[in-house]
Amino acid sequence: MQEAIIRSATVNDAERLLEIYSYYVTDTAISWEYEVPSVEEFRGRIEDVLKKYPYLVVEENGVIYGYAYAHPFVGRAAYDHSCELTIYLDKDAKGRSYGRKLYEALEAQLKDMGILNMYSCIGDPVEEDEYLNRNSELFHQHLGFTKVGTFYKCGYKFGRWYNMIWMEKIIGEHR
């Protein structure tokens, strides 16, 4: 049995990454997309991220169990030292520290790029339900993120309203 490795994603990983992501689109309010994107669209998303930011996968015994990537925060030049993070794990792969390993590797690469602030946009239930709980907020909090904002009832999925929170982690000195 091999230990989990973290490596850069490639467009050839798109089918497996989309397989992981599809569950979050169809069965949760973690992703606010209503329709699962096509493999071609997902490949394009990977290509776009890799132009400027790291896109990592966690793999064990040749199987990808999750992925995380950074992308522009707001998209204006003044924000170039900040980025937004996204992470998804196979729904059956929780509790194996894959998320922590992905984020630690991502943070190290982002520091090397000169990123100082990391942000995460997270669906937050008005009341926990079968589609959304506070696990993502707690995960980010455990890794040193702080909640910095709440947008109330701004997302609608599965016939109900959800809040959205922003969490932040400062990883460098602002000189």
Side-chain angles (χ1 to χ4, degrees), residues 21-119:
Y21 181 63
S22 296
Y23 163 78
Y24 293 96
V25 174
T26 60
D27 294 296
T28 79
I30 291 170
S31 167
W32 286 2
E33 285 195 80
Y34 283 5
E35 302 293 326
V36 175
S38 69
V39 173
E40 295 76 28
E41 182 180 343
F42 213 75
R43 276 192 192 104
R45 292 179 186 186
I46 294 168
E47 286 176 329
D48 285 345
V49 168
L50 286 171
K51 288 176 186 173
K52 184 173 179 182
Y53 293 98
Y55 198 129
L56 304 177
V57 299
V58 60
E59 186 178 285
E60 191 169 329
N61 297 316
V63 178
I64 295 172
Y65 286 102
Y67 63 96
Y69 60 91
H71 46 105
F73 176 72
V74 182
R76 301 280 189 264
Y79 296 104
D80 281 352
H81 294 284
S82 300
C83 67
E84 185 179 344
L85 306 183
T86 297
I87 186 168
Y88 288 98
L89 298 177
D90 183 289
K91 66 181 175 61
D92 298 320
K94 295 180 179 100
R96 297 182 186 171
S97 299
Y98 292 149
R100 180 185 52 78
K101 289 176 183 177
L102 280 166
Y103 260 22
E104 286 173 353
L106 194 56
E107 182 177 324
Q109 288 189 25
L110 292 168
K111 274 185 180 180
D112 288 345
M113 292 174 57
I115 297 295
L116 304 174
N117 299 19
M118 299 186 311
Y119 295 96

Side-chain angles (χ1 to χ4, degrees), residues 77-170:
Y79 296 104
D80 281 352
H81 294 284
S82 300
C83 67
E84 185 179 344
L85 306 183
T86 297
I87 186 168
Y88 288 98
L89 298 177
D90 183 289
K91 66 181 175 61
D92 298 320
K94 295 180 179 100
R96 297 182 186 171
S97 299
Y98 292 149
R100 180 185 52 78
K101 289 176 183 177
L102 280 166
Y103 260 22
E104 286 173 353
L106 194 56
E107 182 177 324
Q109 288 189 25
L110 292 168
K111 274 185 180 180
D112 288 345
M113 292 174 57
I115 297 295
L116 304 174
N117 299 19
M118 299 186 311
Y119 295 96
S120 193
C121 177
I122 300 168
D124 186 56
V126 175
E127 292 182 30
E128 291 191 37
D129 61 27
E130 67 271 30
Y131 302 111
L132 189 62
N133 57 38
R134 290 190 169 77
N135 288 353
S136 187
E137 177 182 1
L138 295 173
F139 165 77
H140 284 82
Q141 189 176 49
H142 179 73
L143 294 177
F145 285 75
T146 304
K147 184 162 69 168
V148 292
T150 303
F151 293 81
Y152 295 94
K153 296 182 179 178
C154 63
Y156 186 79
K157 192 170 180 181
F158 301 121
R160 57 195 81 177
W161 290 100
Y162 294 99
N163 298 335
M164 184 256 301
I165 62 171
W166 278 97
M167 297 189 78
E168 171 187 64
K169 183 175 181 181
I170 306 298

